[in-house]
Amino acid sequence: MNNLFEKLENEQELKQLAKEMAKLDVAYHQKDAPLVSDAKYDEMKKRAADIEARFPDLALKKKVGAAPAAGFGKVTHAVPMLSLGNVFSEEEVQDFLAKIKRFLGLNETIEIFAEPKIDGLSFSARYENGVFVQAATRGDGATGEDITRNLATIEQLPKIITGKNVPEILEIRGEVYMSLNDFLALNNRQEKAKAKVFANPRNAAAGSLRQLDSKITAERKLSLFAYTWGEIKGIEWKTQQDFFSCIEKWGFPVNHKSCLCKSVKEIMDFYNELSEQRASLPYDIDGIVYKVNRIDLQNRLGFISKAPRWATAHKFPAEQVQTVIEKIDIQVGRTGVLTPVAHLKPVTVGGVVVSRATLHNEDEIKRKDIREGDTVIIQRAGDVIPQVVKVIKHDSSKEYEFPKNCPVCGSLATRKEGEAAYRCSGGLSCPAQAIERLKHFVSRNAFDIEGMGTKNIEFFYEKKWIENPADIFNLKEHEADLKSEKGWQELSVNNLFDSIDDKREISLERFVFALGIRQVGQATARLLAQHYGSFENWQIAMNKAKDKESRTYEDLINIESVGALVADDLISFFAEKHNQNILDRLAHYLKITDFEKPTAGSELSGKTIVFTGTLTSMTRNEAKARALSMGAKVAGSVSKKTDIVVTGENAGSKAQKAQELGIKILTEDEFQKIK
Ligand code: AMP
């Protein structure tokens, strides 16, 4: 009981501290007028950290509460805001274009609209009948933060659009940035006021746009460029270039450096020209974005995972700096891969403090002869994990020796021929793998269980209460023991059980992804869920697929992006008795909901479709992608399970078999017309 009182008291204190510190933060960061000394502030921070360390669940509640406290509502994007793929060299540009041509089956010139890639913060601004009504950040792509009031303070943003063809709905997307001059002036002011100076214009723009108080945003000079659209109704454009001229007439700033390129040479000339101009531009750019100019072709090309197939970013080379490798550490991943990580003397690269860099694998370390104590050059490109480029000077005469045993469980680490990675052979007995698998299982895109952070997972694992994913849903068995642990009271334990119970219903695709099967990422998990529809079907099929002569196996490797290697990993996962046992237990504890067809309205939704013969208006890949996007499953061979066969020119035995089986046959034209 004493402990409960103590906790309540601490909770009160923490709330008070959070409130006071929020006030101090506003004064310090936003009003440039600190209210207390740094030492006093640090003391408060330390006290809060102490309480949080003692009662981790209190810290959690504070964090969860942080989003609404920041005052930003959530906005669900009607059309997701995606990211872009990357290219880094002329060959990769060539490859990007070649893939597009192959996908479309076109041999003619594909015009590319090249635009400077502004290094700022993306936004989406919505207009209804020409009136600006809402703005949002990109967020995680699906949901962003409501920044309507803040964006409205930017002079360059049209608040009303008038003129010809003003659409009913128009979402304009682009980048908010701070010009270099405005950035320097802001930092000057900040410095004078002894307030926080920003590391780079991007941070300054982000910090200014995401302000609680839009008056502060208004004081910071922000600019913007518009470059694409989200939801639209009542308007269409033929090309990206047309889009630019149209919105420019409505008053949106577009980047005039952008240009139309008709060949790789023209693209590279533009890239080189812009690289030279980069340093003297009044704003930061971190590359060039290439977009297929024709919008009908963009629509045909569609998307791969989270990025459009019709656009890519050509990034400028990464910034490089010198530092020292203090130590090389080995991390063990959930599939047992041993990854070497360099612990660095902290340095700032591109405005971010970096203290670790990946060393990839043994070959990479040998090739570059990287040793502990080395002085090295590291680089960081965009959000990519920092890498060691080269060694400048050795400190030790001893080459680094890659460990032959798992640093966590001591089992032998082996490297298969043809593979770059060492894997711990400890399998299920290796705690590092088990913990990583659990972390993956509860992670945001998987089960997303609140209150199951790394610290708690490690704690439960150590106690042997949770050793595999199924144990999570059986944690109640240890309720009494848990409540007697330090820092775990009635309330926090109940909160944890509630958040576990919240996740007893889960979609099949999340479930498949959560299992952390080798090579089965989110995209493949979705395809598997789509293909098999229900957990039961999937489980039966994976067990049957062990027989490589079986139809089921053929069906599996026929799924887009699965193939024999991924199939092998799936089959081995199911062949493992321990995994079967966990799956059975999970199926008992959970309700795994069937795959929801994405476009229930489409005629193709849920149908199994086979393409045969030479298609003339589109390539096979394009046809497959189209069918998948309408919720169909694509198979390679005709069977009783096939619903539709699409026949191109010279369709042979498959078309005949379809006829024999009485399966619906569509011509290519008929397929094209399906919406
Ligand atoms: P990344 O964040 O590296 O995946 O790059 C994608 C981001 O580049 C987009 O989300 C935009 O914020 C940004 N971007 C900057 N300029 C452009 C542009 N002209 N066209 C498209 N995206 C751009």
Side-chain angles (χ1 to χ4, degrees), residues 393-417:
K393 188 166 81 51
H394 291 309
D395 181 53
S396 148
S397 56
K398 215 171 101 219
E399 275 181 29
Y400 178 74
E401 210 180 307
F402 206 88
K404 302 289 177 288
N405 291 84
C406 170
V408 178
C409 71
S411 304
L412 200 67
T414 53
R415 184 176 164 182
K416 269 199 213 149
E417 220 184 283

Side-chain angles (χ1 to χ4, degrees), residues 82-84 115-118 122 138 175 227 289 291 315:
L82 303 165
S83 71
L84 288 169
E115 305 167 19
K117 185 169 184 298
I118 314 300
S122 47
R138 175 163 95 175
E175 205 85 353
Y227 50 69
V289 183
K291 300 176 181 170
K315 294 267 181 85

